[in-house]
Amino acid sequence: MFDKVLIANRGEIALRVLRACRELGVRTVVVHSSVDADSLPVRLADEAVRIGPAASRRSYLNAAAIVEAARQTGAQAVHPGYGFLSEDADFAEICAENGLVFVGPPPQVMAALADKSTARALMSNAGLPLPPGSVRTLPTVAEAQEVAADVGYPVIVKAAAGGGGRGMTVVRSAAELPRAYARTRAAAQVAFGDDRVYVERFLADARHVEVQVLCDGQGNGVHLGTRDCSVQRRHQKLIEEAPAPALRQATLDTVAEVALRGALSVGFAGAGTVEFLVDEAERCHFLEINCRIQVEHPVTEMVTGVDLVQEQLHIAYGTPLRLRQSDVRLTGVAIECRVNVEDPDRDFAPAPGRLDRFRPPGGPFTRVDTHGHTGYLVSPHYDSLLAKVAVWAPDRDAALDRLDRALAEFDVAGPGVRTTIPFARRVLRDPAFRAARHTTALVERLLAPAAVTTDGAVPVGSAADDGGADSAPAAERADAAVPRLRSAVPDPRAEADPAGRTPVPAVPAAGPTTWRNR
């Protein structure tokens, strides 16, 4: 195993990786921005290196400073967590050129899968079912109109380099398509430095189901069952559970098997997630493969007993996969709720501030992943995720009750601070959700009565709200304007921090501004 790993991230995922390393006897280096200098990951790391100011493009997206910090501290590997540089093939290449192991898939695999159009073609060749639509990108609106007419409306226009729920526009009629096509291309160019788009049939009443896979790059792989992530706002997940409920066992088995086959077909290595839409007839349609640990990985860990981050580290070190498919057993039900520092009564506007009170829940089979603590200043510069509350129970009803109890216990307070806990509890009480009859339209339905406006604005969370770049907070739009190198950086954590970065040399010339040993 590695002697020392650099963690190129912040917040709860940095703390999660740090703890996995510590249990393996691996020393840790945490890089941080100036505003994160007193964060829990920095306090607990063996070494901490300040790599830049608050702006993510000058710190957590500063590949040169991160690599130089690893070189100076003698780290052998870099764990990128999720978001930021976790799916950036160029960063993975830079790590390799500087003698560092990137904890993730090979750069060429990441680059291929980051391009959604290329990924669709690869998965189609591997036999995975796709939603009706174009496999290749569509350079003209006339081609987009032809595909849309063929598959039927509504359709969704997607950026080939998109990710993190961004770069998508739902189109409900032929008259809307030219404007939506132009708008999505323009937004994609700003956000990703790549204006290519494709069109596919929009499945309005579908479930979002994903499969966790582990592959070792030596041809071995296992799947760890399914997760349901259908509770979403603006394509961002709010509540996740494992296994996906209310689907036939044959459907669960099929989607897991084809997901693993697709990952192995492209030489995937590490922990990845293959995502699908499942329609009313339980037909599965491939969406994308994420090349990183997911925010919602705790629910899979709770039903399988597998530490996914430790498995990532073993695979990156070159250890053959330690699991066989027959070793994977799913027990009970786990459900996770993301606690974001946002105000549901003000259109989920960010509500950061100092935490005067912070008391996470406890109790049996209750897990809280968080970097928060009393006195912590929630920064407005990054993603609003403060904590993840995950529970396990023998069955779904008991898990829902346990999660509601845990959320009721969670005490978070400070001047101006609001969280999404009240809205999450509203979801848990919804009859359709309790009966597992919900789809990705659930949040839209719950928000619709309060979202009616008098000025004709699109209701937030509605199917017409595409969650594109121009609906993101101003800080996100500013960071999104920075061009990428080759690959997109889909960001389901910075699902609020989707910044790109400027080119850096293979051997970094810029080092960390300060660093300290512990």
Side-chain angles (χ1 to χ4, degrees):
M1 179 49 65
F2 303 110
D3 295 322
K4 185 182 291 186
V5 170
L6 181 140
I7 302 168
N9 217 296
R10 66 176 302 278
E12 66 87 14
I13 189 58
L15 198 57
R16 169 72 183 91
V17 175
L18 185 151
R19 287 168 170 158
C21 289
R22 183 146 300 167
E23 291 174 10
L24 291 172
V26 176
R27 291 176 61 82
T28 55
V29 180
V30 168
V31 295
H32 64 91
S33 69
S34 55
V35 297
D36 282 338
D38 196 37
S39 66
L40 274 181
V42 171
R43 291 186 193 180
L44 295 178
D46 295 297
E47 298 174 64
V49 182
R50 183 167 70 87
I51 54 171
S56 58
R57 66 180 178 274
R58 299 177 61 192
S59 52
Y60 298 107
L61 290 164
N62 186 345
I66 292 170
V67 169
E68 185 61 19
R71 286 159 54 97
Q72 286 190 17
T73 57
Q76 299 158 299
V78 175
H79 196 303
Y82 53 70
F84 295 131
L85 296 173
S86 63
E87 292 183 284
D88 192 311
D90 296 310
F91 179 61
E93 287 182 358
I94 292 169
C95 286
E97 289 167 2
N98 285 274
L100 299 168
V101 175
F102 178 85
V103 180
Q108 65 273 18
V109 173
M110 292 173 60
L113 296 178
D115 186 301
K116 300 300 182 285
S117 180
T118 300
R120 282 166 59 84
L122 289 170
M123 293 303 104
S124 179
N125 291 339
L128 274 67
L130 303 182
S134 59
V135 174
R136 63 180 180 83
T137 54
L138 304 172
T140 68
V141 69
E143 291 174 283
Q145 289 171 321
E146 182 178 346
V147 170
D150 183 54
V151 303
Y153 290 89
V155 298
I156 184 166
V157 183
K158 290 187 175 183
R166 304 176 65 240
M168 297 183 278
T169 307
V170 175
V171 183
R172 301 194 174 276
S173 69
E176 300 173 14
L177 184 58
R179 179 176 177 272
Y181 175 87
R183 176 188 176 191
T184 308
R185 287 192 64 174
Q189 181 63 46
V190 170
F192 311 115
D194 185 337
D195 70 351
R196 294 173 304 131
V197 298
Y198 61 94
V199 172
E200 65 185 26
R201 173 79 178 175
F202 177 61
L203 302 175
D205 292 313
R207 300 267 297 279
H208 189 134
V209 175
E210 60 188 30
V211 178
Q212 178 72 61
V213 298
L214 286 172
C215 305
D216 63 8
Q218 301 171 40
N220 304 307
V222 296
H223 68 76
L224 285 84
T226 58
R227 297 188 289 252
D228 185 288
C229 305
S230 300
V231 182
Q232 302 178 6
R233 175 181 175 271
R234 294 189 181 182
H235 311 293
Q236 309 302 316
K237 303 164 188 173
L238 300 177
I239 295 175
E240 304 101 342
E241 60 183 295
L247 294 176
R248 294 189 298 267
Q249 189 60 47
T251 301
L252 296 175
D253 292 342
T254 297
V255 72
E257 290 165 7
V258 300
L260 181 58
R261 182 170 75 235
L264 290 173
S265 73
V266 294
F268 191 89
T273 302
V274 188
E275 304 199 357
F276 298 85
L277 287 178
V278 179
D279 63 23
E280 292 175 318
E282 297 196 16
R283 292 183 296 253
C284 304
H285 308 271
F286 169 78
L287 281 179
E288 63 182 359
I289 298 183
N290 290 307
C291 298
R292 49 171 161 73
I293 198 74
Q294 293 276 94
V295 177
E296 59 270 22
H297 76 272
V299 293
T300 295
E301 294 184 329
M302 295 177 88
V303 296
T304 63
V306 175
D307 188 314
L308 291 170
V309 177
Q310 289 192 9
E311 294 305 319
Q312 279 187 299
L313 292 166
H314 281 292
I315 291 168
Y317 188 66
T319 305
L321 193 63
R322 303 190 304 163
L323 294 169
R324 295 172 297 178
Q325 195 61 58
S326 59
D327 298 325
V328 179
R329 307 266 190 224
L330 305 184
T331 304
V333 173
I335 306 178
E336 174 185 285
C337 172
R338 302 189 190 192
V339 177
N340 296 322
V341 184
E342 299 171 352
D343 188 348
D345 294 330
R346 294 193 304 116
D347 190 17
F348 289 81
R354 186 172 300 280
L355 304 182
D356 290 342
R357 296 201 314 270
F358 187 80
R359 189 187 66 208
F365 306 105
T366 301
R367 167 177 169 175
V368 181
D369 286 19
T370 182
H371 55 292
H373 55 85
T374 300
Y376 176 65
L377 179 62
V378 180
S379 172
H381 297 286
Y382 309 113
D383 177 71
S384 61
L385 180 65
L386 175 64
K388 303 180 312 196
V389 180
V391 301
W392 179 92
D395 58 68
R396 188 171 187 267
D397 284 341
L400 290 172
D401 292 341
R402 178 163 285 155
L403 180 57
D404 188 58
R405 183 272 304 163
L407 292 177
E409 286 183 13
F410 208 148
D411 184 15
V412 183
V417 173
R418 300 290 184 273
T419 75
T420 52
I421 289 174
F423 184 78
R425 297 189 69 196
R426 181 182 173 192
V427 172
L428 295 180
R429 292 190 295 267
D430 180 76
F433 181 76
R434 293 287 307 197
R437 296 194 308 268
H438 62 292
T439 69
T440 53
L442 171 65
V443 172
E444 173 191 343
R445 173 173 60 78
L446 292 177
L447 290 175
V452 175
T453 65
T454 58
D455 59 0
V458 175
V460 173
S462 73
D465 184 318
D466 64 354
D470 52 355
S471 65
E476 296 174 34
R477 295 199 299 272
D479 273 359
V482 182
R484 282 177 166 65
L485 294 183
R486 265 202 320 276
S487 56
V489 188
D491 203 344
R493 123 64 174 287
E495 292 166 335
D497 214 341
R501 59 187 177 86
T502 53
V504 296
V507 178
T513 52
T514 62
W515 63 286
R516 72 177 189 264
N517 288 319
R518 292 185 179 274

